[in-house]
């Protein structure tokens, strides 16, 4: 007999005598009957063990919570049972016993603090509402991936151990690479651009990005998942259009697949396009109007982004960032050299994506390196790709965990990373 998932019992897809397997979430013992709440990744079912049923193979009272068991029995629809599904057990087999007590309860209504939860992440992830975050993230990513494939992007995989820092900054993890010094890559930026020179018209990558930023905030991880695209013969406007459509596709996928699983998802509006846009200069005006002062050329603080974000319902772009706060590869605006053809996608006060048209002229690129205090010689492998025919191009990088966090209205980015890496956490 084939095994059924618990959701199949509820939907009526499996009926009669069934076989299911999963974890023992709870056991309730009454005089004449025992109830086992059995959980698999699709839900919970009540397993009813009548004391009069005799030789089931095991004594339910001796099974520890969170042990893995399989049950064979009759599936009956039961509107009284909390789970809506009842299995009258004929046979129970304990596949693997859990130790007791559990270091972290799986069903406790009072949530433990995040550090205890992350220390015991394997148990924390068994909680359905936590597990659903990652199913939602997967659906979100699938919607974005499907969209990009439809737009003829090629999925690529670039190295994560590199010799040169993408942005030259100090936020780098050094690693020993045999007799050489190497770094964990901060972003696939340089490699995506090289691929544009190699004749890939459109590329995307979903992979880890490493930032040795010392600050410990609820929106930063030291290793996060970056969704990156780069497109040839395109500018920042093309990249923004691609981004808003990719985000919409991701949200659509998440909503349609998860509606019944994550309550919060039903509250997410499918955004209408195009997303509103506001220039950096206009943001400064907004700040001045609210008595916050900011000089042109500086980045916004979280408090300032909150004031700006208050003017928007949800997603919006901040465009035309000053060249002082954008990396060397960002294209300078032809009419006004103080600004760049760049954008950030924001949701209220949170940045989700940075993007831009990129510099494609190698002479300008070398100048930009020097302006940023970087030595072009350290980037020869990258510059070479610009010297032998590089098309104009544009792209963006989106933080997957941050987007999931925003969409599910979670307060800490650690909630959307299976095994977060932060300033103090390297285990599990
Ligand atoms: P922030 O200003 O929020 O620190 P950033 O300007 O350094 O971000 P970019 O380098 O432009 O970010 O990266 C693009 C996107 O990648 C960000 O919009 C964000 O979604 C994500 N991202 C960047 N750094 C982190 C991080 N440390 N943890 C999680 N996500 C990040």
């Amino acid at each position: 007999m084939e095994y059924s998932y618990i959701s199949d019992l509820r939907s009526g897809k499996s009926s009669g005598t069934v076989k299911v397997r999963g974890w023992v979430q709870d056991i309730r013992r009454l005089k004449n009957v025992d109830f086992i709440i059995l959980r698999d990744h699709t839900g919970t079912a009540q397993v009813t063990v009548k004391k009069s049923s005799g030789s089931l193979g095991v004594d339910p009272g001796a099974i520890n919570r969170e042990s893995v068991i399989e049950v064979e029995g009759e599936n009956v629809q039961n509107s009284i049972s909390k789970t809506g599904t009842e299995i009258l057990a004929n046979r129970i087999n304990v596949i693997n016993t859990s130790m007791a007590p559990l270091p972290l309860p799986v069903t406790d209504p009072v949530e433990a603090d995040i550090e205890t939860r992350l220390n015991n992440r394997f148990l924390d992830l068994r909680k359905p509402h936590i597990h659903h975050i990652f199913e939602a993230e997967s659906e979100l990513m699938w919607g974005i991936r499907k969209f990009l494939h439809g737009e003829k992007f090629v999925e690529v995989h670039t190295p994560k151990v590199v010799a040169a820092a993408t942005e030259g900054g100090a936020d780098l993890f050094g690693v020993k690479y045999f007799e050489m010094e190497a770094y964990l890559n901060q972003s696939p930026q340089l490699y995506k651009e090289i691929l544009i020179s190699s004749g890939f018209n459109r590329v995307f990558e979903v992979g880890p990005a490493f930032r040795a930023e010392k600050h410990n905030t609820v929106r930063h991880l030291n290793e996060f998942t970056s969704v990156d695209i780069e497109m040839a013969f395109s500018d920042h406007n093309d990249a923004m259009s691609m981004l808003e459509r990719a985000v919409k596709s991701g949200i659509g996928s998440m909503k349609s697949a998860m509606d019944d699983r994550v309550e919060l998802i039903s509250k997410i509006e499918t955004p209408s396009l195009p997303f509103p846009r506001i220039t950096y200069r206009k943001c400064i005006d907004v700040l001045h109007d609210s008595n916050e002062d900011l000089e042109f050329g500086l980045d916004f603080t979280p408090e300032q982004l909150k004031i700006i974000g208050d003017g928007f319902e949800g997603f919006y772009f901040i465009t035309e960032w000053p060249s002082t706060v954008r990396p060397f590869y960002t294209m300078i605006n032809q009419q006004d050299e103080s600004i760049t053809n760049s954008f950030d996608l924001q949701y209220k006060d949170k940045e989700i994506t940075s993007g831009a048209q990129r510099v494609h002229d190698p002479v300008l690129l070398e100048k930009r390196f020097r302006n940023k205090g970087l030595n072009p010689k350290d980037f020869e492998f990258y510059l070479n790709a610009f010297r032998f025919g590089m098309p104009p191009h544009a792209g963006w990088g989106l933080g997957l965990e941050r987007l999931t966090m925003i969409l599910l209205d979670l307060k800490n980015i650690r909630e959307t990373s299976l095994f977060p890496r932060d300033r103090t956490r390297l285990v599990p």
Side-chain angles (χ1 to χ4, degrees):
M1 191 195 308
E2 282 196 11
Y3 290 93
S4 303
Y5 291 132
I6 286 170
S7 59
D8 295 338
L9 310 188
R10 197 170 306 135
S11 68
K13 195 171 150 197
S14 302
S15 55
T17 306
V18 294
K19 238 167 50 168
V20 287
R21 50 198 166 174
W23 285 262
V24 173
Q25 183 163 296
D26 201 4
I27 302 170
R28 268 176 255 134
R29 311 210 72 193
L30 302 182
K31 197 160 159 236
N32 298 319
V33 70
D34 293 323
F35 297 116
I36 298 174
I37 304 300
L38 183 70
R39 185 188 69 244
D40 72 7
H41 68 288
T42 67
T44 51
Q46 175 182 295
V47 177
T48 303
V49 185
K50 293 207 172 106
K51 298 242 160 99
S52 57
S53 59
S55 62
L56 275 180
V58 289
D59 168 16
I63 306 174
N64 287 338
R65 281 184 193 187
E66 295 304 316
S67 296
V68 175
I69 65 168
E70 67 178 18
V71 176
E72 194 180 308
E74 301 308 312
N75 174 31
V76 288
Q77 298 299 321
N78 181 344
S79 55
I80 300 168
S81 130
K82 259 198 199 158
T83 62
T85 306
E86 181 181 9
I87 303 163
L88 299 175
N90 298 328
R91 190 179 62 81
I92 293 177
N93 176 28
V94 179
I95 297 173
N96 218 338
T97 303
S98 167
M99 282 168 57
L102 295 167
L104 180 80
V106 173
T107 51
D108 210 342
V110 185
E111 197 88 276
D113 66 90
I114 185 110
E115 293 302 316
T116 310
R117 287 175 46 212
L118 293 176
N119 286 339
N120 297 284
R121 193 60 155 162
F122 71 100
L123 281 172
D124 188 49
L125 290 166
R126 286 188 196 175
K127 299 172 194 160
H129 69 286
I130 305 291
H131 181 90
H132 289 159
I133 294 171
F134 296 94
E135 288 185 342
E137 194 167 73
S138 166
E139 294 297 341
L140 170 67
M141 195 53 244
W142 172 236
I144 295 174
R145 220 181 214 117
K146 225 170 18 184
F147 169 77
L148 293 174
H149 267 278
E151 292 290 329
K152 303 283 179 268
F153 280 80
V154 175
E155 182 162 8
V156 297
H157 307 281
T158 62
K160 301 303 156 213
V161 184
V162 296
T166 306
E167 297 181 20
D171 299 334
L172 285 164
F173 288 110
V175 288
K176 195 105 205 83
Y177 192 77
F178 304 109
E179 62 283 358
M180 291 170 272
E181 282 301 320
Y183 304 101
L184 296 179
N185 213 359
Q186 294 164 300
S187 136
Q189 184 60 34
L190 307 187
Y191 289 94
K192 288 191 295 183
E193 292 192 71
I194 293 174
L195 292 175
I196 294 298
S197 157
S198 309
F200 284 80
N201 188 49
R202 292 175 168 188
V203 292
F204 82 99
E205 177 163 8
V206 184
F210 302 89
R211 306 272 168 101
E213 295 155 335
K214 289 216 171 77
H215 50 234
N216 224 350
T217 80
V218 290
R219 53 180 211 293
H220 288 96
L221 296 166
N222 293 105
E223 176 180 351
F224 68 94
T225 308
S226 189
V227 182
D228 270 87
I229 76 154
E230 207 62 36
M231 46 204 282
F233 300 104
S234 304
D235 65 12
H236 48 302
N237 290 313
D238 302 318
M240 277 189 273
S241 158
M242 207 55 88
L243 175 57
E244 58 194 7
R245 288 184 293 140
V247 168
K248 186 174 177 175
S249 171
I251 293 174
S253 157
M254 198 186 210
K255 274 174 76 77
S256 64
M258 298 296 299
D259 251 356
D260 60 336
R261 277 173 283 177
V262 182
E263 207 182 299
L264 284 167
I265 286 179
S266 53
K267 294 194 190 137
I268 303 167
E269 299 272 324
T270 304
S272 43
L273 304 187
F275 293 160
R277 297 174 188 197
I278 178 171
T279 64
Y280 173 93
R281 267 185 219 279
K282 186 89 188 58
C283 291
I284 291 196
D285 293 343
V286 171
L287 294 177
H288 284 169
D289 290 347
S290 70
N291 294 326
E292 272 273 330
D293 257 339
L294 182 75
E295 259 177 61
F296 179 87
L298 298 177
D299 207 348
F300 300 117
T301 62
E303 294 70 33
Q304 289 163 342
L305 285 174
K306 190 157 176 4
I307 296 170
I308 298 163
D310 280 346
F312 297 91
E313 283 288 307
F315 293 103
Y316 63 98
F317 285 112
I318 301 179
T319 61
E320 299 183 4
W321 287 77
S323 52
T324 43
V325 293
R326 298 307 265 210
F328 61 82
Y329 48 78
T330 315
M331 188 63 149
I332 302 292
N333 187 285
Q334 300 226 297
Q335 277 80 47
D336 178 352
E337 287 214 347
S338 68
I339 59 171
T340 54
N341 291 345
S342 59
F343 58 88
D344 274 4
L345 177 64
Q346 299 279 139
Y347 186 91
K348 303 206 172 126
D349 60 335
K350 300 217 173 43
E351 177 198 322
I352 303 157
T353 315
S354 273
Q357 182 184 3
R358 323 295 191 185
V359 177
H360 55 274
D361 169 6
V363 178
L364 176 59
L365 197 53
E366 284 204 42
K367 196 171 137 203
R368 294 275 285 152
F369 272 121
R370 290 203 183 86
N371 287 347
K372 295 274 176 191
L374 297 167
N375 185 352
K377 289 241 165 336
D378 294 339
F379 294 86
E380 274 298 298
F381 76 100
Y382 168 71
L383 270 167
N384 258 337
F386 288 70
R387 292 178 178 135
F388 302 93
M390 171 63 100
H393 56 286
W396 41 257
L398 173 153
L400 180 63
E401 292 88 354
R402 216 180 268 182
L403 180 58
T404 310
M405 168 190 175
I406 285 160
L407 293 175
L408 302 186
D409 199 22
L410 298 166
K411 302 291 173 248
N412 190 332
I413 196 166
R414 288 161 186 77
E415 297 280 3
T416 63
S417 170
L418 286 167
F419 301 103
R421 293 289 172 261
D422 64 23
R423 180 69 186 82
T424 51
R425 183 171 290 282
L426 198 52
V427 176

